[in-house]
C-alpha cells in the first residue's frame, strides 16, 4: 500500500487536500484524524507537521510527501522533488529595521533569528559570513524589537507582516519556495507512485488552463494557431459554413482574456472559454 504524507494544517494542507479530493482520493474524515485509509486506491494518507514530512520520507517510512521546498531544505533530509504543485509560493529572505540600509555583508557578527536555522546556517556558510543564528519556533518578526536579534530570516509572501513590524527585506532570496511532492533520493518511482503523481498533475493542469473554442475563416487559421498553439497543437475541424473552421485549444488561464481579445481582433467568432475538470497531458 502506498503511504503518502500530507500537511496536517495550514494553507498547504487545505490546497493539497483539495487537489487530492479532485484527483479521486478519499477525503480526511475530520481535522483531528492522523490517517486516512483509501482502500479503493490502495493509498494511506498520514497527516503530519509540514516540517517533519521530508524526514519521514527520507527515512523510508513513507513513500512520498507534500511539503514546502523551504521546509524540505531546512530539514536537511535526503529527498528529491518529484512534482511542483504551484501553490504556497513564497520567498525566504533576510529582513531588518526599515530605518536602516542593510546589505548581506552587514549580517557579519550580528544575531539572526529564524525558524529555519539549518537553511540560514547553510546560506551564511556559503557566503563566508560569521553570524549567530538564533532558533525561534515562531513570531520571529518581534525578536528585533525585544532585543533578541539584529536581523531575521523568514518566509515572505506579501511582506505585510514585515511592514507591520517596521521591517524590510534585503538581499536576494535564500530560496524561492512553493508546495512540492518529495520522495526519498534514489528511490524508485513505482507505478503506484506514478499514478498519484499523474492524477495530481492532471488536476493542476485543469486549474491552470481553460479550453478555448472559436470559429475563424480558413485563410486566418495560421494566424489564429499562432495565438492559440495549445499544448500539442490545436484541434481544427471544418464547419458547414464554407471556408470557416472550428478551433479548440487549451490556453493558460491567466492569459485567457488577452488571448480572446487577440482572436476577436483577428476576426474570430463564437469565442468560448470553458473550465477543465481534469487533464492528462
Amino acid at each position: 500500500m502506498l503511504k503518502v504524507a500530507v500537511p496536517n494544517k495550514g494553507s498547504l494542507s487545505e490546497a493539497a487536500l483539495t487537489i487530492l479530493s479532485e484527483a479521486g482520493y478519499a477525503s480526511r474524515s475530520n481535522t483531528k484524524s492522523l490517517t486516512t485509509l483509501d482502500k479503493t486506491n490502495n493509498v494511506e494518507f498520514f497527516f503530519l507537521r509540514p516540517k517533519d514530512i521530508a524526514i519521514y520520507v527520507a527515512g523510508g517510512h513513507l513513500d512520498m510527501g507534500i511539503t514546502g521546498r523551504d521546509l524540505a531544505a531546512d530539514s536537511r533530509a535526503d529527498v528529491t522533488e518529484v512534482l511542483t504543485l504551484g501553490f504556497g509560493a513564497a520567498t525566504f529572505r533576510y529582513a531588518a529595521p526599515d530605518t536602516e540600509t542593510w546589505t548581506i555583508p552587514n549580517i557579519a557578527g550580528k544575531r539572526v533569528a529564524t525558524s529555519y536555522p539549518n537553511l540560514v546556517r547553510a546560506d551564511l556558510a556559503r557566503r563566508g559570513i560569521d553570524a549567530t543564528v538564533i532558533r525561534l519556533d515562531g513570531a520571529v518578526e518581534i525578536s528585533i524589537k525585544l532585543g533578541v536579534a539584529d536581523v531575521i530570516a523568514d518566509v515572505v509572501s506579501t511582506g505585510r507582516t514585515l511592514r507591520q513590524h517596521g521591517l524590510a527585506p534585503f538581499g536576494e532570496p535564500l530560496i524561492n519556495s512553493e508546495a512540492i511532492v518529495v520522495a526519498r533520493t534514489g528511490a524508485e518511482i513505482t507505478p503506484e507512485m506514478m499514478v498519484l503523481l499523474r492524477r495530481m498533475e492532471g488536476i493542476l493542469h485543469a486549474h491552470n488552463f481553460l479550453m478555448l473554442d472559436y470559429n475563424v475563416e480558413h485563410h486566418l487559421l495560421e494566424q489564429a494557431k499562432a495565438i492559440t498553439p495549445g499544448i500539442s497543437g490545436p484541434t481544427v475541424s471544418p464547419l458547414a459554413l464554407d471556408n470557416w473552421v472550428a478551433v479548440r485549444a487549451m490556453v493558460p488561464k491567466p492569459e485567457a482574456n488577452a488571448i480572446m481579445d487577440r482572436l476577436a481582433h483577428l476576426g474570430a467568432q463564437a469565442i468560448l472559454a470553458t473550465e477543465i475538470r481534469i487533464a492528462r497531458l
Side-chain angles (χ1 to χ4, degrees), residues 27-165:
S27 300
R28 191 180 187 182
S29 57
N30 63 68
T31 57
K32 294 184 179 180
S33 297
L34 298 179
T35 64
T36 292
L37 183 60
D38 185 339
K39 293 183 179 179
T40 301
N41 293 293
N42 202 34
V43 180
E44 187 169 11
F45 295 101
F46 295 80
F47 301 98
L48 307 171
R49 292 201 327 159
K51 279 192 171 185
D52 298 334
I53 286 175
I55 296 172
Y56 283 106
V57 173
H61 308 290
L62 299 170
D63 299 298
M64 294 190 296
I66 299 171
T67 186
R69 182 179 293 127
D70 52 348
L71 297 169
D74 189 64
S75 73
R76 295 188 294 183
D78 195 12
V79 294
T80 300
E81 295 183 23
V82 292
L83 181 65
T84 56
L85 298 176
F87 62 85
T91 58
F92 190 82
R93 304 187 66 183
Y94 294 109
D98 58 12
T99 54
E100 307 171 35
T101 300
W102 283 77
T103 61
I104 297 297
N106 295 144
I107 298 175
K110 299 297 193 295
R111 300 165 299 168
V112 184
T114 183
S115 299
Y116 301 73
N118 294 324
L119 192 56
V120 173
R121 289 191 183 102
D123 182 73
L124 293 174
R126 180 177 61 83
R127 299 175 187 270
I129 295 176
D130 185 19
T132 301
V133 178
I134 300 169
R135 175 177 179 171
L136 298 175
D137 284 334
V140 296
E141 298 86 0
I142 201 67
S143 62
I144 296 177
K145 184 175 182 179
L146 293 176
V148 174
D150 307 295
V151 181
I152 69 167
D154 202 14
V155 174
V156 179
S157 295
T158 64
R160 179 181 177 184
T161 304
L162 292 180
R163 291 191 295 271
Q164 288 177 337
H165 290 85

